Each structure stands twice: as C-alpha cells, then as structure tokens.
Amino acid sequence: MSGATIWLTGLPSAGKTTIARALAARLSGEGHRVEVLDGDEVREFLSAGLGFSRTDRDTNVRRIGFVAQLLAAHGVKVLVPVIAPYADTREAVRKHHQQHGTGYLEVHVATPVEVCSARDVKGLYAKQAAGELSGLTGVDDPYEVPADPDLRIEAHGQSVEESAGALHALLAGRGLA
C-alpha cells in the first residue's frame, strides 16, 4: 500500500484533529499503516522552544512536513491536523513531497471563526477576547485560506463521520484507501 501525507488545515477548533483521528481509526481498521501528527503534540516534542512568530510557525510546519514525507515515503498514511496558516509554507511542504515522489493532499477544514470561537476547545478564543493572548490565528493573526485544496470540508454542517467519510472517499478516488 502506498503512503501519502494528508494535511488538514484550518482555524483552531475547526475539527481537524477530530476528523483526522476518526479517519485514522477507519484506515487502520482497513489494514493501512497510519500515523496522526497532531500539531500540539509535535510542538511539544519536535518543536519545543518555538514560539508563534511567522518564522517559528514556518519552521514548525516545515519540520512536520519533513517528518510526514519520511513516513509517507515508507507506506504510511500520515494525517496532519495542523493549522499551517501561511499558503507559501503549505506550498513548500507540498513541493518537498513532490520532489520526493510522495503523495500529498491538502484538506481545508472550513469551519467559520464564529463556530470555532463557540467551540473553543482549548479556551484560546476566550483568552484572546480577555486580552490574555495575542496572535490567535484567524482572529488577530492571519490565516490564508487555501485557494485550491484537494478537498474542502464544511465540518460545521455535518457529523464527524460524514467529514471523515468525505475524506476517505477522496483517498479512495486517488487509490490511497
């Protein structure tokens, strides 16, 4: 079975990790080798010490992209639920995959900021509103919406299972599931 990186980009609390974990369970159940490179976990272990400046965010995304490509080149389906706010950095990761002949799909989890703020899974939006946090992606720091993703998921309008199913259908259509 061939590997690939499936990058789920979107705002904080958009549902990226939830969808990735649901899809990972399904793919694993079908016999695929799967890894989820969760942004928070990677930041803690691989990118410890990086802040949230543009340079640090780019470095973090490129590091994750490098690890994802290595795994994918060895037949792993790598699900990457990471914000990756800047289009040029996402494109650099895509090009790195292309240079190595490794599959790469970009999925935009297109949950509106109002819905993400209401979910506020980690309390980031509340902290930003209270003035305790600045640089929140999509609020007071930029998020560049993908112009032409391989799939756009309107996660706020469907169940997790439906969102994961749409992504699974994309993978199946590309011969990856």
Side-chain angles (χ1 to χ4, degrees), residues 46-69:
L46 183 64
S47 295
L50 290 179
F52 291 91
S53 68
R54 166 89 195 222
T55 300
D56 284 356
R57 288 176 193 248
D58 285 348
T59 298
N60 185 50
V61 168
R62 287 174 189 266
R63 285 179 183 175
I64 296 167
F66 176 81
V67 172
Q69 187 278 320

Side-chain angles (χ1 to χ4, degrees), residues 12-150:
S13 297
K16 301 176 300 297
T17 301
T18 303
I19 294 167
R21 294 206 186 281
L23 180 61
R26 181 172 177 178
L27 290 171
S28 190
E30 294 172 355
H32 296 274
R33 295 172 53 207
V34 182
E35 287 294 334
V36 176
L37 296 181
D38 179 77
D40 293 332
E41 292 172 3
V42 170
R43 196 169 259 288
E44 181 180 349
F45 296 105
L46 183 64
S47 295
L50 290 179
F52 291 91
S53 68
R54 166 89 195 222
T55 300
D56 284 356
R57 288 176 193 248
D58 285 348
T59 298
N60 185 50
V61 168
R62 287 174 189 266
R63 285 179 183 175
I64 296 167
F66 176 81
V67 172
Q69 187 278 320
L70 284 176
L71 290 168
H74 291 280
V76 178
K77 304 291 188 296
V78 187
L79 304 174
V80 185
V82 173
I83 295 167
Y86 305 112
D88 61 341
T89 311
R90 292 191 305 264
E91 185 57 26
V93 171
R94 178 188 295 275
K95 284 183 179 172
H96 177 77
H97 280 71
Q98 289 171 340
Q99 289 166 354
H100 289 85
T102 308
Y104 180 89
L105 299 171
E106 182 178 79
V107 178
H108 179 214
V109 181
T111 307
V113 68
E114 300 78 21
V115 174
C116 295
S117 178
R119 288 179 181 169
D120 204 7
V121 177
K122 298 172 195 155
L124 300 175
Y125 292 92
K127 286 181 183 175
Q128 192 277 336
E132 300 168 15
L133 174 74
S134 64
L136 182 59
T137 301
V139 178
D140 60 352
D141 208 57
Y143 176 74
E144 298 171 358
V145 174
D148 190 27
D150 295 283

